[in-house]
Amino acid sequence: MAARIAYRRIYEESSPQDGQRVLVDRVWPRGMKKEDAHLDEWLRDVAPSTELRRWYGHEPSRFAEFRRRYRAELRDAGHREAAGHLRDLADQGGLTLVTATKDVDHSQAAVLAEWLTGSKR
């Protein structure tokens, strides 16, 4: 049975059902104290490149192209190790990807969850 992979905003209260909580943003979330984040890891190297993040600008109309470009980035040398580590964490059991992004369904966390579960969308 495949491990449960979820994603949510870091500002939402954590839950025992979260499993391991991994922050997948490149920068630390504004106003969030590290002790309040309840994270197991912060994998900043799995986050989209600064260039891709700036191009996307969280514009939903660009999401399909963002997804395509980001999935390509996950295969490059700068992301490969962190992406592999994230896969290992997912194989261990429940995993929740957390992000500061307001629209989590159009975020790198959503793309990563798809990628980890093998969804092609």
Side-chain angles (χ1 to χ4, degrees), residues 26-44:
R26 189 162 299 278
V27 297
W28 187 260
R30 275 193 190 122
M32 176 58 65
K33 295 179 184 175
K34 291 190 182 196
E35 60 270 12
D36 294 338
H38 304 287
L39 295 175
D40 293 293
E41 290 197 44
W42 177 17
L43 279 179
R44 63 176 63 102

Side-chain angles (χ1 to χ4, degrees), residues 62-107:
R62 294 182 176 179
F63 185 67
E65 180 62 15
F66 168 76
R67 178 192 296 121
R68 187 192 68 73
R69 291 182 189 189
Y70 182 38
R71 288 176 73 113
E73 278 191 355
L74 291 171
R75 295 186 300 269
D76 72 26
H79 288 82
R80 195 173 304 128
E81 185 176 335
H85 180 64
L86 192 60
R87 273 204 193 278
D88 291 343
L89 292 174
D91 289 344
Q92 293 174 20
L95 177 65
T96 298
L97 308 172
V98 294
T99 180
T101 306
K102 289 179 183 175
D103 182 358
V104 293
D105 291 329
H106 294 99
S107 71

Side-chain angles (χ1 to χ4, degrees), residues 40-65:
D40 293 293
E41 290 197 44
W42 177 17
L43 279 179
R44 63 176 63 102
D45 290 339
V46 79
S49 65
T50 300
E51 296 79 19
L52 180 56
R53 189 171 44 85
R54 286 183 180 153
W55 170 83
Y56 175 45
H58 300 286
E59 188 65 47
S61 64
R62 294 182 176 179
F63 185 67
E65 180 62 15

